[in-house]
Every structure is written in C-alpha cells, then in structure tokens.
mmCIF file of all heavy atoms in Angstrom:
data_model
loop_
_atom_site.group_PDB
_atom_site.id
_atom_site.type_symbol
_atom_site.label_atom_id
_atom_site.label_comp_id
_atom_site.label_asym_id
_atom_site.label_seq_id
_atom_site.Cartn_x
_atom_site.Cartn_y
_atom_site.Cartn_z
ATOM 1 N N MET E 4 -55.004 -27.675 -40.730
ATOM 2 C CA MET E 4 -55.680 -26.440 -40.782
ATOM 3 C C MET E 4 -55.641 -25.886 -42.201
ATOM 4 O O MET E 4 -54.684 -26.063 -42.948
ATOM 5 C CB MET E 4 -55.014 -25.405 -39.838
ATOM 6 C CG MET E 4 -55.268 -25.775 -38.359
ATOM 7 S SD MET E 4 -55.056 -24.343 -37.316
ATOM 8 C CE MET E 4 -53.714 -24.911 -36.268
ATOM 9 N N GLY E 5 -56.645 -25.136 -42.594
ATOM 10 C CA GLY E 5 -56.771 -24.617 -43.969
ATOM 11 C C GLY E 5 -56.329 -23.177 -44.008
ATOM 12 O O GLY E 5 -55.383 -22.742 -43.302
ATOM 13 N N SER E 6 -57.049 -22.401 -44.844
ATOM 14 C CA SER E 6 -56.648 -21.015 -45.030
ATOM 15 C C SER E 6 -56.879 -20.167 -43.811
ATOM 16 O O SER E 6 -56.465 -19.048 -43.757
ATOM 17 C CB SER E 6 -57.386 -20.396 -46.250
ATOM 18 O OG SER E 6 -58.783 -20.459 -45.959
ATOM 19 N N ASP E 7 -57.632 -20.703 -42.808
ATOM 20 C CA ASP E 7 -57.852 -19.946 -41.580
ATOM 21 C C ASP E 7 -56.759 -20.195 -40.569
ATOM 22 O O ASP E 7 -56.839 -19.675 -39.428
ATOM 23 C CB ASP E 7 -59.221 -20.317 -41.031
ATOM 24 C CG ASP E 7 -60.343 -19.719 -41.775
ATOM 25 O OD1 ASP E 7 -60.083 -18.836 -42.683
ATOM 26 O OD2 ASP E 7 -61.502 -20.132 -41.539
ATOM 27 N N ALA E 8 -55.770 -20.992 -40.915
ATOM 28 C CA ALA E 8 -54.700 -21.225 -39.969
ATOM 29 C C ALA E 8 -54.018 -19.924 -39.579
ATOM 30 O O ALA E 8 -53.899 -19.041 -40.371
ATOM 31 C CB ALA E 8 -53.647 -22.176 -40.588
ATOM 32 N N PRO E 9 -53.663 -19.834 -38.304
ATOM 33 C CA PRO E 9 -53.057 -18.585 -37.889
ATOM 34 C C PRO E 9 -51.728 -18.305 -38.547
ATOM 35 O O PRO E 9 -50.970 -19.196 -38.872
ATOM 36 C CB PRO E 9 -52.859 -18.734 -36.354
ATOM 37 C CG PRO E 9 -52.961 -20.208 -36.145
ATOM 38 C CD PRO E 9 -53.803 -20.824 -37.239
ATOM 39 N N ARG E 10 -51.484 -17.042 -38.754
ATOM 40 C CA ARG E 10 -50.203 -16.602 -39.301
ATOM 41 C C ARG E 10 -49.589 -15.623 -38.313
ATOM 42 O O ARG E 10 -50.368 -14.868 -37.678
ATOM 43 C CB ARG E 10 -50.401 -15.897 -40.661
ATOM 44 C CG ARG E 10 -50.946 -16.851 -41.727
ATOM 45 C CD ARG E 10 -51.622 -16.049 -42.812
ATOM 46 N NE ARG E 10 -52.054 -16.895 -43.922
ATOM 47 C CZ ARG E 10 -53.127 -17.639 -43.946
ATOM 48 N NH1 ARG E 10 -53.912 -17.646 -42.833
ATOM 49 N NH2 ARG E 10 -53.498 -18.384 -44.930
ATOM 50 N N LEU E 11 -48.339 -15.567 -38.230
ATOM 51 C CA LEU E 11 -47.688 -14.699 -37.256
ATOM 52 C C LEU E 11 -47.410 -13.356 -37.809
ATOM 53 O O LEU E 11 -46.664 -13.197 -38.733
ATOM 54 C CB LEU E 11 -46.398 -15.367 -36.734
ATOM 55 C CG LEU E 11 -45.689 -14.583 -35.628
ATOM 56 C CD1 LEU E 11 -46.593 -14.488 -34.395
ATOM 57 C CD2 LEU E 11 -44.389 -15.284 -35.257
ATOM 58 N N ILE E 12 -48.120 -12.383 -37.235
ATOM 59 C CA ILE E 12 -47.845 -10.943 -37.592
ATOM 60 C C ILE E 12 -47.718 -10.268 -36.250
ATOM 61 O O ILE E 12 -48.525 -10.404 -35.393
ATOM 62 C CB ILE E 12 -49.040 -10.370 -38.308
ATOM 63 C CG1 ILE E 12 -49.343 -11.146 -39.569
ATOM 64 C CG2 ILE E 12 -48.807 -8.877 -38.623
ATOM 65 C CD1 ILE E 12 -50.751 -10.889 -40.141
ATOM 66 N N ARG E 13 -46.607 -9.522 -36.089
ATOM 67 C CA ARG E 13 -46.369 -8.889 -34.776
ATOM 68 C C ARG E 13 -46.032 -7.447 -35.005
ATOM 69 O O ARG E 13 -45.098 -7.101 -35.724
ATOM 70 C CB ARG E 13 -45.227 -9.612 -34.077
ATOM 71 C CG ARG E 13 -44.873 -9.087 -32.698
ATOM 72 C CD ARG E 13 -43.778 -9.874 -32.100
ATOM 73 N NE ARG E 13 -44.240 -11.040 -31.359
ATOM 74 C CZ ARG E 13 -44.452 -11.069 -30.058
ATOM 75 N NH1 ARG E 13 -44.208 -10.021 -29.353
ATOM 76 N NH2 ARG E 13 -44.941 -12.148 -29.467
ATOM 77 N N SER E 14 -46.800 -6.558 -34.358
ATOM 78 C CA SER E 14 -46.487 -5.126 -34.440
ATOM 79 C C SER E 14 -45.576 -4.811 -33.320
ATOM 80 O O SER E 14 -45.494 -5.479 -32.291
ATOM 81 C CB SER E 14 -47.744 -4.330 -34.380
ATOM 82 O OG SER E 14 -48.189 -4.174 -33.016
ATOM 83 N N PRO E 15 -44.874 -3.659 -33.415
ATOM 84 C CA PRO E 15 -44.122 -3.129 -32.237
ATOM 85 C C PRO E 15 -45.188 -2.698 -31.231
ATOM 86 O O PRO E 15 -46.331 -2.515 -31.589
ATOM 87 C CB PRO E 15 -43.343 -2.007 -32.807
ATOM 88 C CG PRO E 15 -44.031 -1.572 -34.051
ATOM 89 C CD PRO E 15 -44.697 -2.776 -34.609
ATOM 90 N N PRO E 16 -44.788 -2.501 -29.979
ATOM 91 C CA PRO E 16 -45.762 -1.961 -28.998
ATOM 92 C C PRO E 16 -46.277 -0.655 -29.494
ATOM 93 O O PRO E 16 -45.529 0.223 -29.983
ATOM 94 C CB PRO E 16 -44.903 -1.795 -27.732
ATOM 95 C CG PRO E 16 -43.774 -2.743 -27.920
ATOM 96 C CD PRO E 16 -43.473 -2.765 -29.377
ATOM 97 N N LEU E 17 -47.606 -0.422 -29.385
ATOM 98 C CA LEU E 17 -48.216 0.768 -29.886
ATOM 99 C C LEU E 17 -48.742 1.609 -28.746
ATOM 100 O O LEU E 17 -49.362 1.096 -27.735
ATOM 101 C CB LEU E 17 -49.376 0.398 -30.814
ATOM 102 C CG LEU E 17 -48.993 -0.389 -32.043
ATOM 103 C CD1 LEU E 17 -50.272 -0.912 -32.764
ATOM 104 C CD2 LEU E 17 -48.157 0.405 -32.991
ATOM 105 N N ASP E 18 -48.548 2.894 -28.807
ATOM 106 C CA ASP E 18 -49.076 3.803 -27.822
ATOM 107 C C ASP E 18 -50.406 4.389 -28.318
ATOM 108 O O ASP E 18 -50.746 4.218 -29.506
ATOM 109 C CB ASP E 18 -48.078 4.965 -27.566
ATOM 110 C CG ASP E 18 -47.879 5.261 -26.083
ATOM 111 O OD1 ASP E 18 -48.880 5.114 -25.368
ATOM 112 O OD2 ASP E 18 -46.753 5.591 -25.698
ATOM 113 N N THR E 19 -51.117 5.080 -27.443
ATOM 114 C CA THR E 19 -52.362 5.656 -27.866
ATOM 115 C C THR E 19 -52.170 6.577 -29.054
ATOM 116 O O THR E 19 -51.249 7.397 -29.002
ATOM 117 C CB THR E 19 -52.964 6.465 -26.732
ATOM 118 O OG1 THR E 19 -53.206 5.576 -25.594
ATOM 119 C CG2 THR E 19 -54.330 7.092 -27.121
ATOM 120 N N GLY E 20 -52.936 6.399 -30.123
ATOM 121 C CA GLY E 20 -52.814 7.244 -31.283
ATOM 122 C C GLY E 20 -51.837 6.705 -32.322
ATOM 123 O O GLY E 20 -51.778 7.154 -33.440
ATOM 124 N N ASP E 21 -51.043 5.704 -31.951
ATOM 125 C CA ASP E 21 -50.161 5.062 -32.904
ATOM 126 C C ASP E 21 -50.952 4.156 -33.830
ATOM 127 O O ASP E 21 -52.071 3.862 -33.622
ATOM 128 C CB ASP E 21 -49.132 4.153 -32.201
ATOM 129 C CG ASP E 21 -48.043 4.993 -31.472
ATOM 130 O OD1 ASP E 21 -48.030 6.233 -31.662
ATOM 131 O OD2 ASP E 21 -47.295 4.383 -30.732
ATOM 132 N N SER E 22 -50.299 3.824 -34.954
ATOM 133 C CA SER E 22 -50.983 2.927 -35.881
ATOM 134 C C SER E 22 -49.981 1.941 -36.393
ATOM 135 O O SER E 22 -48.741 2.126 -36.338
ATOM 136 C CB SER E 22 -51.600 3.733 -37.017
ATOM 137 O OG SER E 22 -50.582 4.385 -37.781
ATOM 138 N N PHE E 23 -50.549 0.883 -36.941
ATOM 139 C CA PHE E 23 -49.699 -0.193 -37.497
ATOM 140 C C PHE E 23 -50.460 -0.714 -38.742
ATOM 141 O O PHE E 23 -51.639 -0.886 -38.696
ATOM 142 C CB PHE E 23 -49.553 -1.361 -36.514
ATOM 143 C CG PHE E 23 -48.890 -2.583 -37.069
ATOM 144 C CD1 PHE E 23 -47.510 -2.604 -37.348
ATOM 145 C CD2 PHE E 23 -49.617 -3.725 -37.400
ATOM 146 C CE1 PHE E 23 -46.868 -3.722 -37.890
ATOM 147 C CE2 PHE E 23 -48.996 -4.857 -37.929
ATOM 148 C CZ PHE E 23 -47.620 -4.832 -38.135
ATOM 149 N N ALA E 24 -49.742 -0.822 -39.851
ATOM 150 C CA ALA E 24 -50.337 -1.288 -41.109
ATOM 151 C C ALA E 24 -49.750 -2.596 -41.566
ATOM 152 O O ALA E 24 -48.540 -2.832 -41.395
ATOM 153 C CB ALA E 24 -50.149 -0.215 -42.197
ATOM 154 N N PHE E 25 -50.559 -3.447 -42.083
ATOM 155 C CA PHE E 25 -50.153 -4.680 -42.659
ATOM 156 C C PHE E 25 -51.054 -5.013 -43.828
ATOM 157 O O PHE E 25 -52.248 -4.893 -43.744
ATOM 158 C CB PHE E 25 -50.207 -5.793 -41.628
ATOM 159 C CG PHE E 25 -49.761 -7.135 -42.153
ATOM 160 C CD1 PHE E 25 -48.426 -7.508 -42.170
ATOM 161 C CD2 PHE E 25 -50.703 -8.050 -42.703
ATOM 162 C CE1 PHE E 25 -48.042 -8.712 -42.671
ATOM 163 C CE2 PHE E 25 -50.306 -9.278 -43.206
ATOM 164 C CZ PHE E 25 -48.967 -9.583 -43.217
ATOM 165 N N VAL E 26 -50.496 -5.388 -44.958
ATOM 166 C CA VAL E 26 -51.299 -5.735 -46.136
ATOM 167 C C VAL E 26 -51.474 -7.280 -46.110
ATOM 168 O O VAL E 26 -50.539 -8.051 -46.226
ATOM 169 C CB VAL E 26 -50.607 -5.310 -47.401
ATOM 170 C CG1 VAL E 26 -51.399 -5.733 -48.640
ATOM 171 C CG2 VAL E 26 -50.387 -3.768 -47.445
ATOM 172 N N PHE E 27 -52.756 -7.677 -46.004
ATOM 173 C CA PHE E 27 -53.091 -9.077 -46.040
ATOM 174 C C PHE E 27 -53.222 -9.507 -47.510
ATOM 175 O O PHE E 27 -53.994 -8.952 -48.303
ATOM 176 C CB PHE E 27 -54.426 -9.327 -45.304
ATOM 177 C CG PHE E 27 -54.283 -9.157 -43.782
ATOM 178 C CD1 PHE E 27 -54.406 -7.903 -43.273
ATOM 179 C CD2 PHE E 27 -54.106 -10.244 -42.992
ATOM 180 C CE1 PHE E 27 -54.348 -7.706 -41.889
ATOM 181 C CE2 PHE E 27 -54.001 -10.080 -41.619
ATOM 182 C CZ PHE E 27 -54.126 -8.824 -41.071
ATOM 183 N N LEU E 28 -52.497 -10.527 -47.894
ATOM 184 C CA LEU E 28 -52.541 -10.995 -49.284
ATOM 185 C C LEU E 28 -53.412 -12.231 -49.415
ATOM 186 O O LEU E 28 -53.830 -12.531 -50.554
ATOM 187 C CB LEU E 28 -51.101 -11.323 -49.766
ATOM 188 C CG LEU E 28 -50.164 -10.103 -49.786
ATOM 189 C CD1 LEU E 28 -48.771 -10.548 -50.212
ATOM 190 C CD2 LEU E 28 -50.705 -9.024 -50.672
ATOM 191 N N GLN E 29 -53.695 -12.900 -48.365
ATOM 192 C CA GLN E 29 -54.494 -14.150 -48.408
ATOM 193 C C GLN E 29 -55.801 -13.930 -47.724
ATOM 194 O O GLN E 29 -55.843 -13.451 -46.570
ATOM 195 C CB GLN E 29 -53.736 -15.309 -47.721
ATOM 196 C CG GLN E 29 -52.449 -15.707 -48.439
ATOM 197 C CD GLN E 29 -52.703 -16.326 -49.743
ATOM 198 O OE1 GLN E 29 -53.667 -17.013 -49.983
ATOM 199 N NE2 GLN E 29 -51.730 -16.137 -50.655
ATOM 200 N N PRO E 30 -56.922 -14.242 -48.384
ATOM 201 C CA PRO E 30 -58.225 -14.220 -47.684
ATOM 202 C C PRO E 30 -58.257 -15.166 -46.499
ATOM 203 O O PRO E 30 -57.503 -16.189 -46.478
ATOM 204 C CB PRO E 30 -59.228 -14.686 -48.752
ATOM 205 C CG PRO E 30 -58.511 -14.497 -50.072
ATOM 206 C CD PRO E 30 -57.055 -14.726 -49.755
ATOM 207 N N GLY E 31 -59.005 -14.776 -45.524
ATOM 208 C CA GLY E 31 -59.100 -15.620 -44.341
ATOM 209 C C GLY E 31 -59.538 -14.809 -43.173
ATOM 210 O O GLY E 31 -59.735 -13.591 -43.221
ATOM 211 N N THR E 32 -59.618 -15.525 -42.025
ATOM 212 C CA THR E 32 -59.984 -14.871 -40.760
ATOM 213 C C THR E 32 -58.756 -14.916 -39.867
ATOM 214 O O THR E 32 -58.181 -15.985 -39.613
ATOM 215 C CB THR E 32 -61.135 -15.653 -40.103
ATOM 216 O OG1 THR E 32 -62.285 -15.649 -40.952
ATOM 217 C CG2 THR E 32 -61.529 -14.971 -38.753
ATOM 218 N N TYR E 33 -58.336 -13.748 -39.444
ATOM 219 C CA TYR E 33 -57.134 -13.649 -38.656
ATOM 220 C C TYR E 33 -57.475 -13.151 -37.310
ATOM 221 O O TYR E 33 -58.061 -12.035 -37.094
ATOM 222 C CB TYR E 33 -56.159 -12.674 -39.307
ATOM 223 C CG TYR E 33 -55.734 -13.042 -40.706
ATOM 224 C CD1 TYR E 33 -56.602 -12.796 -41.802
ATOM 225 C CD2 TYR E 33 -54.545 -13.706 -40.994
ATOM 226 C CE1 TYR E 33 -56.255 -13.125 -43.103
ATOM 227 C CE2 TYR E 33 -54.173 -14.043 -42.282
ATOM 228 C CZ TYR E 33 -55.039 -13.800 -43.320
ATOM 229 O OH TYR E 33 -54.707 -14.114 -44.602
ATOM 230 N N ARG E 34 -57.132 -13.906 -36.259
ATOM 231 C CA ARG E 34 -57.339 -13.433 -34.921
ATOM 232 C C ARG E 34 -56.149 -12.596 -34.461
ATOM 233 O O ARG E 34 -55.042 -12.832 -34.933
ATOM 234 C CB ARG E 34 -57.534 -14.619 -33.971
ATOM 235 C CG ARG E 34 -58.771 -15.451 -34.269
ATOM 236 C CD ARG E 34 -58.899 -16.620 -33.347
ATOM 237 N NE ARG E 34 -60.072 -17.409 -33.637
ATOM 238 C CZ ARG E 34 -61.327 -16.986 -33.240
ATOM 239 N NH1 ARG E 34 -61.445 -15.897 -32.521
ATOM 240 N NH2 ARG E 34 -62.368 -17.695 -33.560
ATOM 241 N N CYS E 35 -56.438 -11.655 -33.585
ATOM 242 C CA CYS E 35 -55.331 -10.884 -33.045
ATOM 243 C C CYS E 35 -55.570 -10.609 -31.582
ATOM 244 O O CYS E 35 -56.697 -10.657 -31.134
ATOM 245 C CB CYS E 35 -55.152 -9.601 -33.827
ATOM 246 S SG CYS E 35 -56.610 -8.597 -33.950
ATOM 247 N N PHE E 36 -54.536 -10.366 -30.887
ATOM 248 C CA PHE E 36 -54.671 -10.018 -29.475
ATOM 249 C C PHE E 36 -53.513 -9.106 -29.044
ATOM 250 O O PHE E 36 -52.534 -8.966 -29.751
ATOM 251 C CB PHE E 36 -54.646 -11.284 -28.591
ATOM 252 C CG PHE E 36 -53.364 -12.035 -28.609
ATOM 253 C CD1 PHE E 36 -52.392 -11.841 -27.639
ATOM 254 C CD2 PHE E 36 -53.052 -12.949 -29.632
ATOM 255 C CE1 PHE E 36 -51.174 -12.472 -27.617
ATOM 256 C CE2 PHE E 36 -51.827 -13.612 -29.665
ATOM 257 C CZ PHE E 36 -50.915 -13.385 -28.698
ATOM 258 N N CYS E 37 -53.690 -8.449 -27.931
ATOM 259 C CA CYS E 37 -52.671 -7.552 -27.396
ATOM 260 C C CYS E 37 -51.783 -8.397 -26.448
ATOM 261 O O CYS E 37 -52.253 -8.998 -25.516
ATOM 262 C CB CYS E 37 -53.396 -6.485 -26.605
ATOM 263 S SG CYS E 37 -52.221 -5.423 -25.696
ATOM 264 N N SER E 38 -50.480 -8.403 -26.770
ATOM 265 C CA SER E 38 -49.585 -9.256 -25.973
ATOM 266 C C SER E 38 -49.397 -8.712 -24.563
ATOM 267 O O SER E 38 -48.980 -9.415 -23.670
ATOM 268 C CB SER E 38 -48.252 -9.427 -26.643
ATOM 269 O OG SER E 38 -47.617 -8.185 -26.885
ATOM 270 N N LEU E 39 -49.730 -7.407 -24.352
ATOM 271 C CA LEU E 39 -49.655 -6.842 -23.020
ATOM 272 C C LEU E 39 -50.915 -7.148 -22.228
ATOM 273 O O LEU E 39 -50.848 -7.263 -20.995
ATOM 274 C CB LEU E 39 -49.456 -5.329 -23.091
ATOM 275 C CG LEU E 39 -48.158 -4.877 -23.812
ATOM 276 C CD1 LEU E 39 -48.127 -3.349 -23.805
ATOM 277 C CD2 LEU E 39 -46.955 -5.387 -23.102
ATOM 278 N N HIS E 40 -52.009 -7.242 -22.926
ATOM 279 C CA HIS E 40 -53.299 -7.478 -22.249
ATOM 280 C C HIS E 40 -54.014 -8.579 -23.043
ATOM 281 O O HIS E 40 -54.856 -8.262 -23.922
ATOM 282 C CB HIS E 40 -54.190 -6.253 -22.241
ATOM 283 C CG HIS E 40 -53.465 -4.994 -21.798
ATOM 284 N ND1 HIS E 40 -53.076 -4.031 -22.714
ATOM 285 C CD2 HIS E 40 -53.027 -4.602 -20.571
ATOM 286 C CE1 HIS E 40 -52.434 -3.033 -22.019
ATOM 287 N NE2 HIS E 40 -52.402 -3.392 -20.751
ATOM 288 N N PRO E 41 -53.716 -9.813 -22.826
ATOM 289 C CA PRO E 41 -54.202 -10.900 -23.736
ATOM 290 C C PRO E 41 -55.707 -10.973 -23.782
ATOM 291 O O PRO E 41 -56.287 -11.642 -24.704
ATOM 292 C CB PRO E 41 -53.597 -12.175 -23.071
ATOM 293 C CG PRO E 41 -52.400 -11.716 -22.386
ATOM 294 C CD PRO E 41 -52.758 -10.323 -21.850
ATOM 295 N N HIS E 42 -56.447 -10.329 -22.843
ATOM 296 C CA HIS E 42 -57.917 -10.333 -22.929
ATOM 297 C C HIS E 42 -58.408 -9.382 -24.013
ATOM 298 O O HIS E 42 -59.518 -9.443 -24.379
ATOM 299 C CB HIS E 42 -58.524 -9.940 -21.580
ATOM 300 C CG HIS E 42 -58.182 -8.559 -21.139
ATOM 301 N ND1 HIS E 42 -56.939 -8.262 -20.577
ATOM 302 C CD2 HIS E 42 -58.899 -7.430 -21.200
ATOM 303 C CE1 HIS E 42 -56.969 -6.976 -20.305
ATOM 304 N NE2 HIS E 42 -58.111 -6.421 -20.663
ATOM 305 N N MET E 43 -57.517 -8.529 -24.480
ATOM 306 C CA MET E 43 -57.885 -7.627 -25.595
ATOM 307 C C MET E 43 -57.676 -8.383 -26.912
ATOM 308 O O MET E 43 -56.537 -8.610 -27.307
ATOM 309 C CB MET E 43 -57.009 -6.369 -25.595
ATOM 310 C CG MET E 43 -57.212 -5.503 -24.359
ATOM 311 S SD MET E 43 -55.959 -4.158 -24.230
ATOM 312 C CE MET E 43 -56.328 -3.258 -25.719
ATOM 313 N N GLN E 44 -58.826 -8.794 -27.510
ATOM 314 C CA GLN E 44 -58.730 -9.627 -28.690
ATOM 315 C C GLN E 44 -59.488 -9.024 -29.821
ATOM 316 O O GLN E 44 -60.447 -8.253 -29.603
ATOM 317 C CB GLN E 44 -59.246 -11.016 -28.397
ATOM 318 C CG GLN E 44 -58.456 -11.707 -27.262
ATOM 319 C CD GLN E 44 -58.929 -13.087 -26.967
ATOM 320 O OE1 GLN E 44 -59.809 -13.622 -27.632
ATOM 321 N NE2 GLN E 44 -58.440 -13.661 -25.861
ATOM 322 N N GLY E 45 -59.147 -9.339 -31.047
ATOM 323 C CA GLY E 45 -59.865 -8.829 -32.212
ATOM 324 C C GLY E 45 -59.782 -9.837 -33.312
ATOM 325 O O GLY E 45 -59.197 -10.927 -33.188
ATOM 326 N N MET E 46 -60.386 -9.492 -34.437
ATOM 327 C CA MET E 46 -60.413 -10.335 -35.577
ATOM 328 C C MET E 46 -60.405 -9.518 -36.830
ATOM 329 O O MET E 46 -61.075 -8.452 -36.871
ATOM 330 C CB MET E 46 -61.683 -11.189 -35.502
ATOM 331 C CG MET E 46 -61.830 -12.196 -36.621
ATOM 332 S SD MET E 46 -63.378 -13.115 -36.423
ATOM 333 C CE MET E 46 -62.972 -14.122 -35.033
ATOM 334 N N VAL E 47 -59.661 -9.982 -37.814
ATOM 335 C CA VAL E 47 -59.605 -9.316 -39.099
ATOM 336 C C VAL E 47 -60.128 -10.335 -40.126
ATOM 337 O O VAL E 47 -59.653 -11.422 -40.184
ATOM 338 C CB VAL E 47 -58.234 -8.840 -39.489
ATOM 339 C CG1 VAL E 47 -58.194 -8.237 -40.915
ATOM 340 C CG2 VAL E 47 -57.680 -7.835 -38.457
ATOM 341 N N VAL E 48 -61.175 -9.968 -40.910
ATOM 342 C CA VAL E 48 -61.670 -10.861 -41.991
ATOM 343 C C VAL E 48 -61.267 -10.257 -43.296
ATOM 344 O O VAL E 48 -61.609 -9.134 -43.622
ATOM 345 C CB VAL E 48 -63.190 -10.974 -41.888
ATOM 346 C CG1 VAL E 48 -63.739 -11.862 -43.000
ATOM 347 C CG2 VAL E 48 -63.607 -11.527 -40.507
ATOM 348 N N VAL E 49 -60.463 -11.034 -44.020
ATOM 349 C CA VAL E 49 -59.997 -10.594 -45.331
ATOM 350 C C VAL E 49 -60.782 -11.433 -46.401
ATOM 351 O O VAL E 49 -60.771 -12.666 -46.373
ATOM 352 C CB VAL E 49 -58.494 -10.843 -45.474
ATOM 353 C CG1 VAL E 49 -58.010 -10.422 -46.901
ATOM 354 C CG2 VAL E 49 -57.742 -10.102 -44.389
ATOM 355 N N ARG E 50 -61.454 -10.717 -47.302
ATOM 356 C CA ARG E 50 -62.232 -11.432 -48.347
ATOM 357 C C ARG E 50 -61.616 -11.290 -49.711
ATOM 358 O O ARG E 50 -60.846 -10.336 -49.946
ATOM 359 C CB ARG E 50 -63.640 -10.871 -48.355
ATOM 360 C CG ARG E 50 -64.393 -11.083 -47.079
ATOM 361 C CD ARG E 50 -65.846 -10.927 -47.301
ATOM 362 N NE ARG E 50 -66.622 -11.436 -46.174
ATOM 363 C CZ ARG E 50 -67.075 -10.703 -45.150
ATOM 364 N NH1 ARG E 50 -66.842 -9.421 -45.190
ATOM 365 N NH2 ARG E 50 -67.697 -11.262 -44.187
HETATM 366 CU CU1 LIG L 108 -53.540 -4.003 -24.565
#
C-alpha cells in the first residue's frame, strides 16, 4: 500500500457537541468510522 494506506487514529468517545482535533501531516485519503456504529463512515482528504 502507498500513501493511502490506513493509519490508526482513535478519538475518545465523543458526545453530541464534542469535538476532536488531529493534525494530518501526510497528504492522503483517510477513511474513518464510528466504532460504536460502524455504518457511520467518513473520509478525510489531505492535500
Ligand atoms: Cu456513531
């Protein structure tokens, strides 16, 4: 896998209105999902 290989980033459980910040240093496409509801998925594109 190249620069799009998954990297492990894990936030603490977030409640409504909570936020979590992470600074991406490497360009790439990062998939994310909710570990409580795995059907909740998203993607972060870093250019
Ligand atoms: Cu969820």
Side-chain angles (χ1 to χ4, degrees):
M4 290 201 240
S6 61
D7 287 348
R10 296 158 175 80
L11 183 60
I12 303 162
R13 180 178 273 263
S14 80
L17 300 171
D18 225 327
T19 301
D21 286 352
S22 64
F23 172 75
F25 179 86
V26 178
F27 291 84
L28 298 177
Q29 295 292 328
T32 300
Y33 301 81
R34 295 180 178 282
C35 53
F36 66 95
C37 172
S38 59
L39 299 178
H40 315 104
H42 64 280
M43 296 170 61
Q44 300 180 8
M46 182 181 289
V47 177
V48 178
V49 180
R50 296 198 167 95

